Amino acid sequence: MTSRCSHGSSGGGSSSGRTRVGKYELGRTLGEGNFAKVKFARNSETRENVAIKILDKEKLLRHKMIGQIKREISTMKLIRHPNVIRMYEVMASKTKIYIVMELVTGGELFDKIVQSGRLKEDEARKYFQQLICAVDYCHSRGVFHRDLKPENLLLDAGGVLKVSDFGLSALPQQVREDGLLHTTCGTPNYVAPEVIQDKGYDGAKADLWSCGVILYVLMAGYLPFEDSNLISLYKKIFKANFTCPPWFSTSAKNLIKRILDPNPATRITTAEVIENVWFKKGYKPPQFLEENVNLDDVDAIFSEKVDPQNLIVEQREEGPVAPATMNAFELISTAQGLNLRNLLDKHMGIVKRETRFTSKCSANEIVSKIEQAALPLGFEVIKKNNNFKLKIQGEKTGRKGHLSVATEIFELAPSLNMVEIRKSGGDTLEFQLFYKNLSNGLKDIIWKAELINEETHGASTSA
């Protein structure tokens, strides 16, 4: 597509500054939510690429979120398993918490379903085996996820499944005297009936139900329980009102029906699933070393009495105002599976929670065009920090509040910029419609466009 704009320099090719946190150099934002932002980062000592979740202490205190965040950090520290996102370390400054995590570049398992429609039974079984292995390990450590769904299952560059997002997980101390959990949470389509009823539930059996829904989705390409009316959806879940498509094998159908048993007392257990004939086909449990994990430092991170010498300081290396230059290691992170051919070759399709396009226009021209395209759609454009980070805020209240969109311009080369547009608040479907309308207004400056995934890399961006 030809760009109708001048091809002058976007700002001299200089970076507008880099931020360092301890030994980590922060890069592009991978995801953000109301309480957290996840950034790409690089360890300056080991050159290892990581993801860092950044939390604002004051905001956490104001919204009484300290308990939930401490729980998430404790959970992630306890878990050391090849199919679970790893947390390397936690740091704190006077105002922020930094959680350093494993960076996963293969996208969401959900995207394989979107691209393929459904997976072949053997491939679905492979991912299900990894999922059950990870969940069983978590349960053995007293950790329950409580929000298992394909969007929270990531793939690394080698296609290995990684369970992410422990923002809604529960530790043993949350179990009441009756031995059950009592917090209703999770995503409705994947939630067990006993969780919805809020009468107390076994966290392990509730997680297994979600695993059963995931297996169904992997093999069918659609949900077993779906209805636009929430009450009708709940009725289907309570009765386990679903049917398996004809391409499911008999043994797969039988296993799914035993997992999606609405009565937790008669529902199959995780141990029984592992011994199931269908499950065991080709199953190879991962080999890994157990590690002793100490949680003593978690309370100290949130304490006002923490030794100032243990606090880190964000250091900003300022430069001329220009779009941030995307380094090679960040560029690679945007391509799923480290395949650079994926970066610019795809056509526009269904937009999820983040998309990007490249333009040969200057950064200033891009900003101006975005403002011109967004304002008639009823969106306010707010410039952040410098002219090349924008917040686009919807004026109308949508299904999940006001739609909020974060936009940032990166310089790939002196005459080529990449623009990332991602949903930071509101409803994903409304974001899809917004981006479709916005891109119509930007078609004269778009060189190539590509749909990409929401790369949370193991962190709940809604936390």
Side-chain angles (χ1 to χ4, degrees):
M1 186 178 289
T2 304
S3 301
R4 300 178 186 176
C5 56
S6 62
H7 300 295
S9 170
S10 61
S14 300
S15 171
S16 56
R18 287 276 178 182
T19 301
R20 294 183 69 87
V21 176
K23 60 188 176 186
Y24 298 96
E25 179 184 331
L26 300 184
R28 56 190 285 268
T29 300
L30 299 173
E32 59 186 297
N34 294 326
F35 297 95
K37 181 178 288 188
V38 182
K39 282 188 171 287
F40 188 97
R42 195 177 209 189
N43 186 323
S44 60
E45 296 175 1
T46 66
R47 313 308 293 168
E48 181 181 17
N49 300 333
V50 297
I52 296 185
K53 185 172 184 177
I54 305 171
L55 307 159
D56 186 290
K57 283 184 179 178
E58 184 180 347
K59 186 176 283 189
L60 295 177
L61 284 166
R62 189 165 66 247
H63 290 85
K64 299 179 181 178
M65 296 283 290
I66 292 293
Q68 179 176 331
I69 299 305
K70 285 175 71 174
R71 184 166 69 246
E72 180 174 348
I73 292 173
S74 298
T75 300
M76 296 177 74
K77 282 204 72 176
L78 281 170
I79 301 303
R80 291 287 184 269
H81 189 278
N83 295 119
V84 179
I85 292 285
R86 179 155 186 174
M87 188 188 78
Y88 296 124
E89 63 177 307
V90 183
M91 306 175 292
S93 67
K94 288 184 179 179
T95 59
K96 296 175 182 175
I97 304 294
Y98 303 88
I99 307 173
V100 184
M101 300 167 297
E102 177 183 3
L103 178 72
V104 180
T105 59
E108 298 172 2
L109 182 58
F110 180 80
D111 298 313
K112 289 186 74 70
I113 305 167
V114 171
Q115 292 163 9
S116 307
R118 65 176 188 260
L119 304 184
K120 292 181 179 178
E121 191 162 310
D122 285 346
E123 188 178 14
R125 176 172 25 230
K126 179 186 71 174
Y127 290 123
F128 184 68
Q129 288 168 342
Q130 294 177 62
L131 172 61
I132 290 295
C133 187
V135 168
D136 184 50
Y137 177 82
C138 290
H139 293 170
S140 74
R141 300 299 295 261
V143 175
F144 310 106
H145 191 285
R146 302 199 296 169
D147 194 24
L148 290 165
K149 54 188 177 182
E151 294 91 327
N152 285 337
L153 305 179
L154 306 180
L155 301 175
D156 69 9
V160 175
L161 182 141
K162 302 275 184 175
V163 180
S164 74
D165 197 347
F166 285 93
L168 294 174
S169 62
L171 289 174
Q173 54 265 38
Q174 293 174 269
V175 177
R176 293 188 192 168
E177 291 77 7
D178 59 6
L180 300 173
L181 293 163
H182 287 263
T183 308
T184 302
C185 58
T187 304
N189 303 84
Y190 295 87
V191 170
E194 65 268 23
V195 177
I196 298 170
Q197 289 173 323
D198 197 24
K199 294 180 180 178
Y201 59 94
D202 181 318
K205 292 200 171 185
D207 275 352
L208 184 58
W209 170 282
S210 300
C211 291
V213 177
I214 290 168
L215 176 58
Y216 185 101
V217 171
L218 291 176
M219 291 175 57
Y222 54 85
L223 288 156
F225 310 107
E226 194 164 22
D227 200 295
S228 57
N229 182 289
L230 197 59
I231 300 301
S232 298
L233 172 64
Y234 286 168
K235 286 180 179 178
K236 290 180 180 179
I237 293 172
F238 290 147
K239 295 179 181 178
N241 183 12
F242 73 97
T243 55
C244 292
W247 58 84
F248 280 22
S249 68
T250 301
S251 52
K253 287 180 185 177
N254 291 338
L255 177 59
I256 289 172
K257 286 176 181 177
R258 291 192 66 194
I259 296 174
L260 298 183
D261 179 348
N263 182 355
T266 56
R267 186 179 307 152
I268 191 173
T269 65
T270 305
E272 290 171 331
V273 168
I274 295 171
E275 292 302 316
N276 179 271
V277 174
W278 182 88
F279 179 90
K280 290 176 73 172
K281 184 180 179 181
Y283 179 51
K284 295 179 181 178
Q287 302 296 318
F288 59 98
L289 296 174
E290 291 282 351
E291 299 178 38
N292 292 321
V293 181
N294 192 317
L295 297 178
D296 291 346
D297 63 329
V298 176
D299 287 332
I301 291 169
F302 294 89
S303 174
E304 295 179 2
K305 298 178 182 178
V306 64
D307 187 339
Q309 291 184 346
N310 293 331
L311 294 174
I312 59 170
V313 179
E314 269 197 18
Q315 294 179 316
R316 179 77 176 170
E317 299 170 359
E318 294 296 342
V321 176
T325 302
M326 184 168 283
N327 292 342
F329 67 87
E330 292 181 272
L331 189 63
I332 289 171
S333 81
T334 67
Q336 287 189 13
L338 303 186
N339 182 351
L340 286 174
R341 289 182 302 172
N342 288 337
L343 185 60
L344 297 174
D345 287 343
K346 292 184 182 177
H347 299 289
M348 288 304 298
I350 301 171
V351 178
K352 284 189 64 197
R353 280 152 271 186
E354 178 174 308
T355 191
R356 63 177 170 230
F357 65 83
T358 50
S359 176
K360 291 186 176 180
C361 293
S362 72
N364 285 322
E365 287 173 305
I366 294 170
V367 169
S368 177
K369 285 284 188 178
I370 290 174
E371 288 180 311
Q372 291 174 26
L375 291 175
L377 300 176
F379 285 79
E380 179 186 9
V381 178
I382 304 164
K383 295 179 181 179
K384 299 170 63 178
N385 301 329
N386 57 54
N387 292 334
F388 310 114
K389 285 186 179 181
L390 309 173
K391 181 179 181 181
I392 305 173
Q393 184 78 42
E395 295 175 358
K396 295 181 180 179
T397 303
R399 293 199 313 166
K400 297 181 180 178
H402 291 273
L403 179 63
S404 181
V405 178
T407 302
E408 186 166 4
I409 301 171
F410 297 93
E411 185 180 72
L412 299 180
S415 60
L416 182 65
N417 290 306
M418 185 172 82
V419 183
E420 284 194 347
I421 300 175
R422 62 183 175 274
K423 178 178 75 71
S424 56
D427 183 68
T428 300
L429 293 175
E430 289 170 10
F431 172 70
Q432 292 177 12
L433 179 62
F434 163 77
Y435 182 75
K436 182 179 179 181
N437 292 330
L438 181 74
S439 60
N440 286 334
L442 299 177
K443 59 186 178 182
D444 289 344
I445 69 166
I446 294 176
W447 181 47
K448 288 212 174 188
E450 181 205 359
L451 169 71
I452 62 175
N453 312 306
E454 183 182 43
E455 295 176 275
T456 59
H457 299 291
S460 169
T461 56
S462 61

PDB file of all heavy atoms in Angstrom, residues 275-299:
ATOM      1  N   GLU A 275      -4.271 -41.281  34.747  1.00  0.00           N
ATOM      2  CA  GLU A 275      -4.269 -42.726  34.511  1.00  0.00           C
ATOM      3  C   GLU A 275      -5.223 -43.146  33.399  1.00  0.00           C
ATOM      4  O   GLU A 275      -5.306 -44.314  33.048  1.00  0.00           O
ATOM      5  CB  GLU A 275      -4.651 -43.457  35.813  1.00  0.00           C
ATOM      6  CG  GLU A 275      -3.598 -43.343  36.906  1.00  0.00           C
ATOM      7  CD  GLU A 275      -2.244 -43.870  36.464  1.00  0.00           C
ATOM      8  OE1 GLU A 275      -2.201 -44.957  35.837  1.00  0.00           O
ATOM      9  OE2 GLU A 275      -1.224 -43.190  36.706  1.00  0.00           O
ATOM     10  N   ASN A 276      -5.953 -42.171  32.841  1.00  0.00           N
ATOM     11  CA  ASN A 276      -6.914 -42.474  31.772  1.00  0.00           C
ATOM     12  C   ASN A 276      -6.187 -42.939  30.507  1.00  0.00           C
ATOM     13  O   ASN A 276      -5.144 -42.390  30.138  1.00  0.00           O
ATOM     14  CB  ASN A 276      -7.746 -41.222  31.486  1.00  0.00           C
ATOM     15  CG  ASN A 276      -8.752 -41.434  30.373  1.00  0.00           C
ATOM     16  OD1 ASN A 276      -8.451 -41.221  29.214  1.00  0.00           O
ATOM     17  ND2 ASN A 276      -9.960 -41.846  30.739  1.00  0.00           N
ATOM     18  N   VAL A 277      -6.726 -43.940  29.835  1.00  0.00           N
ATOM     19  CA  VAL A 277      -6.089 -44.526  28.645  1.00  0.00           C
ATOM     20  C   VAL A 277      -5.899 -43.486  27.543  1.00  0.00           C
ATOM     21  O   VAL A 277      -4.837 -43.407  26.913  1.00  0.00           O
ATOM     22  CB  VAL A 277      -6.920 -45.723  28.110  1.00  0.00           C
ATOM     23  CG1 VAL A 277      -6.339 -46.226  26.791  1.00  0.00           C
ATOM     24  CG2 VAL A 277      -6.960 -46.844  29.145  1.00  0.00           C
ATOM     25  N   TRP A 278      -6.929 -42.664  27.279  1.00  0.00           N
ATOM     26  CA  TRP A 278      -6.814 -41.642  26.237  1.00  0.00           C
ATOM     27  C   TRP A 278      -5.717 -40.640  26.587  1.00  0.00           C
ATOM     28  O   TRP A 278      -4.916 -40.257  25.727  1.00  0.00           O
ATOM     29  CB  TRP A 278      -8.148 -40.912  26.070  1.00  0.00           C
ATOM     30  CG  TRP A 278      -8.130 -39.871  24.975  1.00  0.00           C
ATOM     31  CD1 TRP A 278      -8.413 -40.078  23.659  1.00  0.00           C
ATOM     32  CD2 TRP A 278      -7.800 -38.478  25.110  1.00  0.00           C
ATOM     33  NE1 TRP A 278      -8.274 -38.903  22.949  1.00  0.00           N
ATOM     34  CE2 TRP A 278      -7.897 -37.903  23.820  1.00  0.00           C
ATOM     35  CE3 TRP A 278      -7.425 -37.668  26.174  1.00  0.00           C
ATOM     36  CZ2 TRP A 278      -7.645 -36.556  23.574  1.00  0.00           C
ATOM     37  CZ3 TRP A 278      -7.155 -36.322  25.941  1.00  0.00           C
ATOM     38  CH2 TRP A 278      -7.277 -35.771  24.646  1.00  0.00           C
ATOM     39  N   PHE A 279      -5.670 -40.222  27.849  1.00  0.00           N
ATOM     40  CA  PHE A 279      -4.678 -39.238  28.291  1.00  0.00           C
ATOM     41  C   PHE A 279      -3.259 -39.791  28.178  1.00  0.00           C
ATOM     42  O   PHE A 279      -2.327 -39.088  27.773  1.00  0.00           O
ATOM     43  CB  PHE A 279      -4.956 -38.829  29.743  1.00  0.00           C
ATOM     44  CG  PHE A 279      -3.964 -37.831  30.292  1.00  0.00           C
ATOM     45  CD1 PHE A 279      -4.182 -36.471  30.173  1.00  0.00           C
ATOM     46  CD2 PHE A 279      -2.807 -38.254  30.939  1.00  0.00           C
ATOM     47  CE1 PHE A 279      -3.272 -35.561  30.677  1.00  0.00           C
ATOM     48  CE2 PHE A 279      -1.892 -37.353  31.434  1.00  0.00           C
ATOM     49  CZ  PHE A 279      -2.124 -35.999  31.301  1.00  0.00           C
ATOM     50  N   LYS A 280      -3.066 -41.054  28.530  1.00  0.00           N
ATOM     51  CA  LYS A 280      -1.727 -41.636  28.643  1.00  0.00           C
ATOM     52  C   LYS A 280      -1.041 -41.888  27.296  1.00  0.00           C
ATOM     53  O   LYS A 280       0.170 -42.120  27.251  1.00  0.00           O
ATOM     54  CB  LYS A 280      -1.794 -42.954  29.421  1.00  0.00           C
ATOM     55  CG  LYS A 280      -2.096 -42.762  30.904  1.00  0.00           C
ATOM     56  CD  LYS A 280      -2.261 -44.088  31.627  1.00  0.00           C
ATOM     57  CE  LYS A 280      -0.920 -44.781  31.817  1.00  0.00           C
ATOM     58  NZ  LYS A 280      -1.055 -45.967  32.682  1.00  0.00           N
ATOM     59  N   LYS A 281      -1.791 -41.813  26.204  1.00  0.00           N
ATOM     60  CA  LYS A 281      -1.202 -42.088  24.894  1.00  0.00           C
ATOM     61  C   LYS A 281      -0.074 -41.096  24.590  1.00  0.00           C
ATOM     62  O   LYS A 281      -0.299 -39.886  24.478  1.00  0.00           O
ATOM     63  CB  LYS A 281      -2.272 -42.012  23.807  1.00  0.00           C
ATOM     64  CG  LYS A 281      -1.746 -42.380  22.429  1.00  0.00           C
ATOM     65  CD  LYS A 281      -2.833 -42.303  21.375  1.00  0.00           C
ATOM     66  CE  LYS A 281      -2.282 -42.646  19.996  1.00  0.00           C
ATOM     67  NZ  LYS A 281      -3.315 -42.549  18.937  1.00  0.00           N
ATOM     68  N   GLY A 282       1.147 -41.590  24.489  1.00  0.00           N
ATOM     69  CA  GLY A 282       2.302 -40.749  24.169  1.00  0.00           C
ATOM     70  C   GLY A 282       2.730 -39.813  25.283  1.00  0.00           C
ATOM     71  O   GLY A 282       3.536 -38.900  25.060  1.00  0.00           O
ATOM     72  N   TYR A 283       2.208 -39.999  26.499  1.00  0.00           N
ATOM     73  CA  TYR A 283       2.498 -39.081  27.603  1.00  0.00           C
ATOM     74  C   TYR A 283       3.898 -39.289  28.159  1.00  0.00           C
ATOM     75  O   TYR A 283       4.288 -40.404  28.488  1.00  0.00           O
ATOM     76  CB  TYR A 283       1.463 -39.269  28.720  1.00  0.00           C
ATOM     77  CG  TYR A 283       1.667 -38.383  29.927  1.00  0.00           C
ATOM     78  CD1 TYR A 283       1.827 -37.011  29.789  1.00  0.00           C
ATOM     79  CD2 TYR A 283       1.689 -38.933  31.213  1.00  0.00           C
ATOM     80  CE1 TYR A 283       1.991 -36.200  30.900  1.00  0.00           C
ATOM     81  CE2 TYR A 283       1.855 -38.126  32.327  1.00  0.00           C
ATOM     82  CZ  TYR A 283       2.012 -36.762  32.162  1.00  0.00           C
ATOM     83  OH  TYR A 283       2.192 -35.958  33.261  1.00  0.00           O
ATOM     84  N   LYS A 284       4.644 -38.198  28.234  1.00  0.00           N
ATOM     85  CA  LYS A 284       5.987 -38.226  28.811  1.00  0.00           C
ATOM     86  C   LYS A 284       6.081 -37.113  29.853  1.00  0.00           C
ATOM     87  O   LYS A 284       6.236 -35.940  29.499  1.00  0.00           O
ATOM     88  CB  LYS A 284       7.049 -38.016  27.731  1.00  0.00           C
ATOM     89  CG  LYS A 284       7.110 -39.145  26.703  1.00  0.00           C
ATOM     90  CD  LYS A 284       8.169 -38.867  25.642  1.00  0.00           C
ATOM     91  CE  LYS A 284       8.211 -39.992  24.613  1.00  0.00           C
ATOM     92  NZ  LYS A 284       9.210 -39.717  23.542  1.00  0.00           N
ATOM     93  N   PRO A 285       5.963 -37.465  31.148  1.00  0.00           N
ATOM     94  CA  PRO A 285       6.057 -36.433  32.197  1.00  0.00           C
ATOM     95  C   PRO A 285       7.396 -35.714  32.110  1.00  0.00           C
ATOM     96  O   PRO A 285       8.431 -36.343  31.853  1.00  0.00           O
ATOM     97  CB  PRO A 285       5.947 -37.245  33.498  1.00  0.00           C
ATOM     98  CG  PRO A 285       5.318 -38.534  33.101  1.00  0.00           C
ATOM     99  CD  PRO A 285       5.791 -38.807  31.702  1.00  0.00           C
ATOM    100  N   PRO A 286       7.419 -34.382  32.291  1.00  0.00           N
ATOM    101  CA  PRO A 286       8.674 -33.632  32.209  1.00  0.00           C
ATOM    102  C   PRO A 286       9.596 -33.971  33.371  1.00  0.00           C
ATOM    103  O   PRO A 286       9.136 -34.256  34.486  1.00  0.00           O
ATOM    104  CB  PRO A 286       8.223 -32.173  32.272  1.00  0.00           C
ATOM    105  CG  PRO A 286       6.913 -32.218  33.009  1.00  0.00           C
ATOM    106  CD  PRO A 286       6.276 -33.512  32.599  1.00  0.00           C
ATOM    107  N   GLN A 287      10.885 -33.955  33.111  1.00  0.00           N
ATOM    108  CA  GLN A 287      11.883 -34.199  34.140  1.00  0.00           C
ATOM    109  C   GLN A 287      12.445 -32.856  34.601  1.00  0.00           C
ATOM    110  O   GLN A 287      12.919 -32.067  33.778  1.00  0.00           O
ATOM    111  CB  GLN A 287      13.014 -35.085  33.598  1.00  0.00           C
ATOM    112  CG  GLN A 287      12.550 -36.436  33.059  1.00  0.00           C
ATOM    113  CD  GLN A 287      11.950 -37.317  34.143  1.00  0.00           C
ATOM    114  OE1 GLN A 287      12.463 -37.405  35.254  1.00  0.00           O
ATOM    115  NE2 GLN A 287      10.847 -37.987  33.800  1.00  0.00           N
ATOM    116  N   PHE A 288      12.376 -32.578  35.888  1.00  0.00           N
ATOM    117  CA  PHE A 288      12.920 -31.314  36.394  1.00  0.00           C
ATOM    118  C   PHE A 288      13.280 -31.476  37.869  1.00  0.00           C
ATOM    119  O   PHE A 288      12.795 -32.380  38.556  1.00  0.00           O
ATOM    120  CB  PHE A 288      11.904 -30.178  36.228  1.00  0.00           C
ATOM    121  CG  PHE A 288      10.595 -30.392  36.937  1.00  0.00           C
ATOM    122  CD1 PHE A 288      10.352 -29.817  38.174  1.00  0.00           C
ATOM    123  CD2 PHE A 288       9.586 -31.175  36.378  1.00  0.00           C
ATOM    124  CE1 PHE A 288       9.151 -30.018  38.836  1.00  0.00           C
ATOM    125  CE2 PHE A 288       8.378 -31.377  37.022  1.00  0.00           C
ATOM    126  CZ  PHE A 288       8.161 -30.794  38.262  1.00  0.00           C
ATOM    127  N   LEU A 289      14.131 -30.586  38.344  1.00  0.00           N
ATOM    128  CA  LEU A 289      14.600 -30.643  39.718  1.00  0.00           C
ATOM    129  C   LEU A 289      13.681 -29.835  40.625  1.00  0.00           C
ATOM    130  O   LEU A 289      13.280 -28.711  40.297  1.00  0.00           O
ATOM    131  CB  LEU A 289      16.037 -30.097  39.821  1.00  0.00           C
ATOM    132  CG  LEU A 289      17.113 -30.892  39.082  1.00  0.00           C
ATOM    133  CD1 LEU A 289      18.441 -30.135  39.152  1.00  0.00           C
ATOM    134  CD2 LEU A 289      17.260 -32.291  39.668  1.00  0.00           C
ATOM    135  N   GLU A 290      13.331 -30.392  41.772  1.00  0.00           N
ATOM    136  CA  GLU A 290      12.559 -29.662  42.779  1.00  0.00           C
ATOM    137  C   GLU A 290      13.463 -28.631  43.454  1.00  0.00           C
ATOM    138  O   GLU A 290      14.652 -28.857  43.652  1.00  0.00           O
ATOM    139  CB  GLU A 290      12.009 -30.627  43.825  1.00  0.00           C
ATOM    140  CG  GLU A 290      10.925 -31.564  43.300  1.00  0.00           C
ATOM    141  CD  GLU A 290       9.571 -30.892  43.173  1.00  0.00           C
ATOM    142  OE1 GLU A 290       9.437 -29.746  43.649  1.00  0.00           O
ATOM    143  OE2 GLU A 290       8.663 -31.505  42.595  1.00  0.00           O
ATOM    144  N   GLU A 291      12.898 -27.483  43.808  1.00  0.00           N
ATOM    145  CA  GLU A 291      13.673 -26.440  44.468  1.00  0.00           C
ATOM    146  C   GLU A 291      12.960 -25.994  45.733  1.00  0.00           C
ATOM    147  O   GLU A 291      11.741 -25.911  45.779  1.00  0.00           O
ATOM    148  CB  GLU A 291      13.856 -25.231  43.542  1.00  0.00           C
ATOM    149  CG  GLU A 291      14.601 -25.534  42.259  1.00  0.00           C
ATOM    150  CD  GLU A 291      14.709 -24.303  41.371  1.00  0.00           C
ATOM    151  OE1 GLU A 291      14.899 -23.199  41.916  1.00  0.00           O
ATOM    152  OE2 GLU A 291      14.592 -24.453  40.145  1.00  0.00           O
ATOM    153  N   ASN A 292      13.740 -25.697  46.768  1.00  0.00           N
ATOM    154  CA  ASN A 292      13.178 -25.119  47.982  1.00  0.00           C
ATOM    155  C   ASN A 292      13.000 -23.614  47.764  1.00  0.00           C
ATOM    156  O   ASN A 292      13.927 -22.936  47.337  1.00  0.00           O
ATOM    157  CB  ASN A 292      14.097 -25.363  49.179  1.00  0.00           C
ATOM    158  CG  ASN A 292      14.162 -26.835  49.552  1.00  0.00           C
ATOM    159  OD1 ASN A 292      13.151 -27.536  49.496  1.00  0.00           O
ATOM    160  ND2 ASN A 292      15.339 -27.312  49.914  1.00  0.00           N
ATOM    161  N   VAL A 293      11.818 -23.117  48.051  1.00  0.00           N
ATOM    162  CA  VAL A 293      11.508 -21.709  47.806  1.00  0.00           C
ATOM    163  C   VAL A 293      11.210 -21.011  49.129  1.00  0.00           C
ATOM    164  O   VAL A 293      10.428 -21.512  49.938  1.00  0.00           O
ATOM    165  CB  VAL A 293      10.300 -21.563  46.861  1.00  0.00           C
ATOM    166  CG1 VAL A 293      10.001 -20.099  46.582  1.00  0.00           C
ATOM    167  CG2 VAL A 293      10.568 -22.300  45.548  1.00  0.00           C
ATOM    168  N   ASN A 294      11.844 -19.871  49.342  1.00  0.00           N
ATOM    169  CA  ASN A 294      11.650 -19.087  50.554  1.00  0.00           C
ATOM    170  C   ASN A 294      10.774 -17.881  50.238  1.00  0.00           C
ATOM    171  O   ASN A 294      11.050 -17.131  49.301  1.00  0.00           O
ATOM    172  CB  ASN A 294      13.021 -18.618  51.086  1.00  0.00           C
ATOM    173  CG  ASN A 294      12.918 -18.062  52.492  1.00  0.00           C
ATOM    174  OD1 ASN A 294      11.998 -17.317  52.791  1.00  0.00           O
ATOM    175  ND2 ASN A 294      13.863 -18.420  53.341  1.00  0.00           N
ATOM    176  N   LEU A 295       9.721 -17.667  51.038  1.00  0.00           N
ATOM    177  CA  LEU A 295       8.799 -16.549  50.821  1.00  0.00           C
ATOM    178  C   LEU A 295       9.016 -15.394  51.798  1.00  0.00           C
ATOM    179  O   LEU A 295       8.219 -14.456  51.829  1.00  0.00           O
ATOM    180  CB  LEU A 295       7.351 -17.041  50.934  1.00  0.00           C
ATOM    181  CG  LEU A 295       6.884 -18.075  49.907  1.00  0.00           C
ATOM    182  CD1 LEU A 295       5.447 -18.486  50.198  1.00  0.00           C
ATOM    183  CD2 LEU A 295       7.004 -17.548  48.493  1.00  0.00           C
ATOM    184  N   ASP A 296      10.103 -15.449  52.577  1.00  0.00           N
ATOM    185  CA  ASP A 296      10.320 -14.434  53.603  1.00  0.00           C
ATOM    186  C   ASP A 296      10.443 -13.025  53.028  1.00  0.00           C
ATOM    187  O   ASP A 296      10.114 -12.039  53.688  1.00  0.00           O
ATOM    188  CB  ASP A 296      11.578 -14.760  54.416  1.00  0.00           C
ATOM    189  CG  ASP A 296      11.404 -15.991  55.292  1.00  0.00           C
ATOM    190  OD1 ASP A 296      10.246 -16.412  55.463  1.00  0.00           O
ATOM    191  OD2 ASP A 296      12.411 -16.523  55.794  1.00  0.00           O
ATOM    192  N   ASP A 297      10.929 -12.912  51.787  1.00  0.00           N
ATOM    193  CA  ASP A 297      11.163 -11.584  51.219  1.00  0.00           C
ATOM    194  C   ASP A 297       9.890 -10.917  50.696  1.00  0.00           C
ATOM    195  O   ASP A 297       9.878  -9.717  50.452  1.00  0.00           O
ATOM    196  CB  ASP A 297      12.184 -11.683  50.081  1.00  0.00           C
ATOM    197  CG  ASP A 297      11.677 -12.534  48.935  1.00  0.00           C
ATOM    198  OD1 ASP A 297      10.904 -13.470  49.192  1.00  0.00           O
ATOM    199  OD2 ASP A 297      12.046 -12.261  47.784  1.00  0.00           O
ATOM    200  N   VAL A 298       8.801 -11.682  50.546  1.00  0.00           N
ATOM    201  CA  VAL A 298       7.590 -11.126  49.941  1.00  0.00           C
ATOM    202  C   VAL A 298       6.995 -10.012  50.800  1.00  0.00           C
ATOM    203  O   VAL A 298       6.662  -8.939  50.302  1.00  0.00           O
ATOM    204  CB  VAL A 298       6.546 -12.231  49.694  1.00  0.00           C
ATOM    205  CG1 VAL A 298       5.250 -11.632  49.151  1.00  0.00           C
ATOM    206  CG2 VAL A 298       7.093 -13.255  48.708  1.00  0.00           C
ATOM    207  N   ASP A 299       6.856 -10.246  52.113  1.00  0.00           N
ATOM    208  CA  ASP A 299       6.312  -9.210  52.999  1.00  0.00           C
ATOM    209  C   ASP A 299       7.197  -7.973  53.008  1.00  0.00           C
ATOM    210  O   ASP A 299       6.702  -6.844  53.061  1.00  0.00           O
ATOM    211  CB  ASP A 299       6.160  -9.751  54.428  1.00  0.00           C
ATOM    212  CG  ASP A 299       5.008 -10.727  54.550  1.00  0.00           C
ATOM    213  OD1 ASP A 299       4.058 -10.596  53.759  1.00  0.00           O
ATOM    214  OD2 ASP A 299       5.077 -11.615  55.411  1.00  0.00           O
TER     215      ASP A 299
END
